[in-house]
Amino acid sequence: MTSTLTLPRTASRSRATLDFDALYRGSREDVFAYVATLLRDHAAAEDVTALAFERAFRKHRSFDESRGSARAWLFGIARNAALDELRRRKRHASLVTDVPDATAVAPEDALDLALRRAALRTAMTTLSPRDRELIALKFHAGLDSDELAEVLGVSRSNAGTLLHRAMTKLREALDA
Amino acid sequence: MRKPDPIDPAIERELDAIDAALAGRDVAPELTELGALALALREDRPQAPPMPVLDSKVAAGFPDTGTWRAALRTRVKNALTTKPMMVPGFAASMILALVVGLAVINGGGGYESESTSGAAAGSAAQSDDLAGGGSVGAGGTDGGEAEFAEPVSGQSAARQAKPKTSVSGSSPITEDSVSSAGSGPVPSPPIAPPGGGGGSPGSDAKRARKVERSASLVLATAPGNLSRVADGIIRVTDGVGGFVVTSSVSSTIDGGSGTFEIRVPSDRLQQALAQLSRLGNVRERQETQEDITASFASATDRLTDARAERKGLLRALARATSLNESSSIRARLRDVSSRIANAKADLARVNNRANYSNVSVSLVGDETAGEPGAGIDDGRWSPGDAARDAVRVLEVAAGVALIALAVVVPLVLIAFPLALGARLATRRRRERALDLAA
C-alpha cells in the first residue's frame, strides 16, 4: 500500500540526516495498521500514530543509521507509544476495543471472501497480544525479518521463531 | 559483524514461503496454504483513515513541538499519564540531590571550622586580613574598640614569599601583637584597660583618636637588582608624598644590603607598603600602631591652659598700678609664652607623628630571591603581569571547575543508575502492559 500524499518540504528539516517526509509518506499507513491491530481501536490508533510521528520528529536528529533502518526505528517508537496507550487504558480501566464485525464486508465482496476474512479476524482475536503484534508487524506493517528483530529487540532467528509460532497458532485457530 | 543465528530449517522454509507469497513469487506446493494465509493477512490489514491534522503538522514540521518548552510540556504530560510513579520518584531524586549538595557544601564548611577551632571566627578572619595587610587594630584605651574597626587597606605582600607578617598596636596591646607568621589560630586581641598615658576625659574620647603608625619591611632581591629596588623604594616614597630620612645601600660580593628610613603620609601608608612589597620578595613585614591621643590631649590642654593664663596675665597687666606689679606680671608672661611655645611644639610634634608614619625598609641581596627585575613594579601593566593574571584566572577557573565536579559527580553517580533503573522499569511495564492486554 503506497500513500499518494504529497507534502511540502520544510526548510527546518534540511539538517537532518533522516528524510522525515519520505519516512512519513512511506510508513504512515503501516504504522496505523500495526497500532490498530495491537490496540484493536481505530480511534486510539489514530492518536497513537500521530503521537508516534510527533515523537519521531522530535527525536529524528538522534536517529543513527548504523543502528538499523529508519522504519525499524520508527516502529520502535510507535510500539512504545502503543504500549504506553495500553498501560494508560489498563490504569484507567477504559478498554475500548473495536468489536470485530464478522459481517463487515463490502457488499461487492464474494461470500467466500467475506467468510474467510471473518474467520481470520476471529482467529486473530484468539491470539495473545504478543502473537498479534508479531503478525501485525509482519503482515500489516510489512517489516522484514531484520526490522522485526530490531523492533522487538531480539535476534533475527528468535524473531523468525516467534513469528513461526504465532502463525502456527493462527492456523490452528483457523482450523479449529 | 554479528554471526547469523542458526534457525530451524523447517521454520526458515516456512518464513521464506511467507516472504515469497508477500512478494508475489511462487510458493512450494506444500506451503501454498501458508502463502495464501500470508496474503489474506496482508489484505486484511486495517486501513488508515485520512489524517489531515497529522499531515499538516508534518508538513509544518510540528510547529508546536519545535520549542523546548513545548517538548518539555509534551514529555511531562505523557509522563504524568503513563508514569504516575515518576512524580514521587522525581521529588525523591530532587530531595536526594539537595541533601547531597548540602552535605557537600557543609562538608567544606566543616573543614574550615576545624582549621580555626578554638579561636573566635573573628580572629581567623583577622589573621587572614593581617596577612594581606588588612585590618589593623590599635587599642590602648577603651577607645580601642573603635580603633580595631578602623580599616587599613593594603594589598597582600604575603603572596610573594609567605613572609613573616606581624602587626602590633601601642603599648596596651603590644603583648598581644598579632603574628601570622606561625600556623594556628590567632587569639583576638582583648580590649585592654586604659593605659598609663591616658585617663583624662579628653584622651578617652573615642573620636579624633591620634594614632602613630610605623612599619618595617625586609625585602629580598637578587644582588644584581639591588640598585633598581633601591631606586624603586625612593620612587615609591616620592609617589606617595613621603620622603627619605636616611638611606644606605652597600654592595658586596655576597650580595649586599641596604636600609631606608622613610616617612610617608599615614593615610597613604598601606598604599606605600603595598607598592614597596611588590619591589622584591617580602621576607618580613611588621606594622606597629601606637595610640598617642593622650599625648595630643596633654599638649592641647597645656596649650589651652597657657593661653588662658596669658590672657589673664594680660588683663592683670592692664590693671597693674605699680611698676613692681607690672614687672612681675611681665616675667610671668614670658614664662607663659615660653610654655605656650613648648606646648605648640609638642602639639605639632604629636600631629606630625600621627600624620606621618615611619617605614623602615631593609634590603637584602639574595641569589635565591629571584631573577633581577623580578618583583619590580614600575606601575605599568606588563606582559608578565598579564601572564600572572592569566595563571591566576586559570587557577580560579580550575578551582571552580573542581568544586562543580565535586557537586556534579555524586549527582551523576546517583542520577545515572536512577535513570537506567527508570528506563528498565518503563520497558518492563510496557512489556507487561502488552501481556495484560489480551
Side-chain angles (χ1 to χ4, degrees):
Chain A
M1 190 81 50
T2 309
S3 169
T4 55
L5 179 70
T6 305
L7 295 170
R9 298 273 173 188
T10 52
S12 62
R13 275 166 264 157
S14 58
R15 277 191 305 167
T17 55
L18 180 70
D19 187 348
F20 193 81
D21 282 342
L23 182 67
Y24 174 72
R25 285 195 301 270
S27 307
R28 194 194 71 152
E29 306 274 337
D30 298 338
V31 169
F32 175 83
Y34 159 65
V35 173
T37 305
L38 194 63
L39 299 179
R40 291 190 292 173
D41 177 355
H42 282 217
E46 271 190 59
D47 294 341
V48 171
T49 301
L51 181 63
F53 276 107
E54 190 177 323
R55 285 186 187 176
F57 181 82
R58 213 162 51 224
K59 294 179 179 174
H60 75 282
R61 284 185 176 82
S62 67
F63 167 68
D64 184 0
E65 207 173 9
S66 65
R67 293 173 64 184
S69 71
R71 271 173 66 83
W73 171 76
L74 174 65
F75 274 90
I77 293 171
R79 182 173 190 262
N80 284 342
L83 295 185
D84 286 343
E85 172 63 16
L86 285 176
R87 285 172 59 202
R88 195 188 63 78
R89 284 187 190 185
K90 184 170 71 95
R91 190 171 303 115
H92 296 290
S94 59
L95 188 63
V96 181
T97 55
D98 294 337
V99 178
D101 183 1
T103 61
V105 288
E108 63 271 20
D109 283 347
L111 183 62
D112 183 46
L113 179 62
L115 288 174
R116 264 195 297 150
R117 280 192 173 179
L120 188 58
R121 289 176 185 178
T122 306
M124 282 284 284
T125 60
T126 65
L127 296 181
S128 70
R130 285 194 182 280
D131 291 335
R132 203 163 60 237
E133 183 191 25
L134 278 161
I135 288 171
L137 286 170
K138 179 67 182 177
F139 299 104
H140 296 172
L143 299 189
D144 62 27
S145 300
D146 288 329
E147 290 170 338
L148 196 63
E150 208 175 308
V151 172
L152 297 176
V154 296
S155 67
R156 188 177 186 276
S157 62
N158 200 359
T161 305
L162 291 171
L163 179 63
H164 175 261
R165 283 182 195 160
M167 288 297 286
T168 304
K169 286 178 190 171
L170 182 64
R171 286 156 81 182
E172 286 171 358
L174 283 168
D175 291 342
Chain B
M1 190 78 181
R2 202 167 61 177
K3 190 180 164 187
D5 299 316
I7 189 167
D8 188 329
I11 294 175
E12 192 168 20
R13 197 160 159 262
E14 286 194 5
L15 294 176
D16 288 344
I18 290 171
D19 287 339
L22 292 176
R25 296 196 303 268
D26 290 337
V27 179
E30 65 274 19
L31 296 174
T32 309
E33 187 202 349
L34 182 63
L37 179 59
L39 288 172
L41 282 168
R42 191 174 68 179
E43 287 298 316
D44 197 42
R45 80 175 201 159
Q47 297 300 313
M51 289 188 270
V53 176
L54 180 59
D55 292 345
S56 60
K57 277 187 176 180
V58 172
F62 289 94
D64 55 336
T65 60
T67 62
W68 65 269
R69 280 195 192 87
L72 184 67
R73 197 164 47 239
T74 309
R75 271 177 175 274
V76 169
K77 194 177 169 185
N78 291 340
L80 288 176
T81 54
T82 60
K83 309 168 193 167
M85 287 303 292
M86 208 184 90
V87 177
F90 180 75
S93 302
M94 285 296 103
I95 291 168
L96 193 63
L98 194 66
V99 167
V100 170
L102 286 174
V104 168
I105 292 163
N106 286 341
Y111 177 79
E112 204 166 277
S113 348
E114 270 177 32
S115 68
T116 58
S117 61
S123 304
Q126 188 192 15
S127 171
D128 290 345
D129 286 343
L130 295 178
S135 297
V136 178
T141 66
D142 54 356
E145 286 174 83
E147 292 298 328
F148 251 91
E150 184 182 342
V152 182
S153 63
Q155 295 184 26
S156 172
R159 277 181 300 182
Q160 294 188 25
K162 295 185 187 301
K164 176 184 175 187
T165 304
S166 64
V167 178
S168 61
S170 59
S171 51
I173 62 163
T174 302
E175 290 175 6
D176 299 315
S177 63
V178 182
S179 171
S180 64
S183 58
V186 180
S188 56
I191 298 170
S200 75
S203 67
D204 285 350
K206 288 192 177 183
R207 289 183 181 178
R209 310 293 306 175
K210 293 287 180 183
V211 177
E212 181 181 27
R213 294 176 167 86
S214 59
S216 67
L217 267 179
V218 177
L219 295 176
T221 187
N225 204 28
L226 214 60
S227 59
R228 288 182 64 187
V229 175
D231 292 344
I233 292 169
I234 294 167
R235 192 172 55 245
V236 168
T237 307
D238 290 342
V240 297
F243 55 92
V244 178
V245 181
T246 62
S247 71
S248 144
V249 179
S250 65
S251 296
T252 63
I253 299 170
D254 295 339
S257 63
T259 55
F260 292 81
E261 295 294 332
I262 61 176
R263 282 179 67 75
V264 296
S266 293
D267 56 351
R268 301 188 73 179
L269 173 64
Q270 294 306 320
Q271 182 190 348
L273 287 176
Q275 290 180 6
L276 290 169
S277 297
R278 285 199 290 269
L279 294 173
N281 290 337
V282 179
R283 291 280 167 87
E284 190 177 328
R285 173 172 164 167
Q286 191 170 11
E287 290 178 49
T288 310
Q289 301 195 33
E290 185 182 357
D291 191 320
I292 53 171
T293 312
S295 303
F296 176 78
S298 170
T300 307
D301 289 347
R302 277 187 282 120
L303 183 61
T304 308
D305 291 346
R307 278 175 174 163
E309 189 177 349
R310 186 175 65 176
K311 201 180 275 181
L313 286 172
L314 286 172
R315 278 199 294 269
L317 184 63
R319 290 196 301 269
T321 54
S322 66
L323 191 61
N324 283 342
E325 191 179 1
S326 299
S327 300
S328 170
I329 290 171
R330 282 202 179 87
R332 286 177 62 190
L333 271 173
R334 279 195 295 276
D335 179 49
V336 168
S337 295
S338 171
R339 280 193 279 132
I340 286 173
N342 287 339
K344 274 184 177 174
D346 286 349
L347 199 59
R349 219 170 3 255
V350 171
N351 275 329
N352 194 40
R353 283 169 66 193
N355 293 337
Y356 276 83
S357 300
N358 286 319
V359 180
S360 171
V361 183
S362 299
L363 198 54
V364 180
D366 187 351
E367 287 288 357
T368 61
E371 291 297 315
I376 290 286
D377 188 357
D378 55 4
R380 284 179 297 186
W381 196 60
S382 66
D385 293 333
R388 275 191 293 278
D389 289 347
V391 169
R392 181 71 190 139
V393 167
L394 286 175
E395 282 174 356
V396 171
V400 170
L402 195 64
I403 291 168
L405 208 62
V407 174
V408 168
V409 165
L411 292 181
V412 168
L413 288 177
I414 293 167
F416 183 71
L418 281 177
L420 196 66
R423 201 179 173 88
L424 287 174
T426 303
R427 191 171 183 168
R428 206 173 297 131
R429 278 198 295 269
R430 279 175 175 157
E431 296 298 333
R432 199 165 55 229
L434 183 60
D435 290 331
L436 297 173

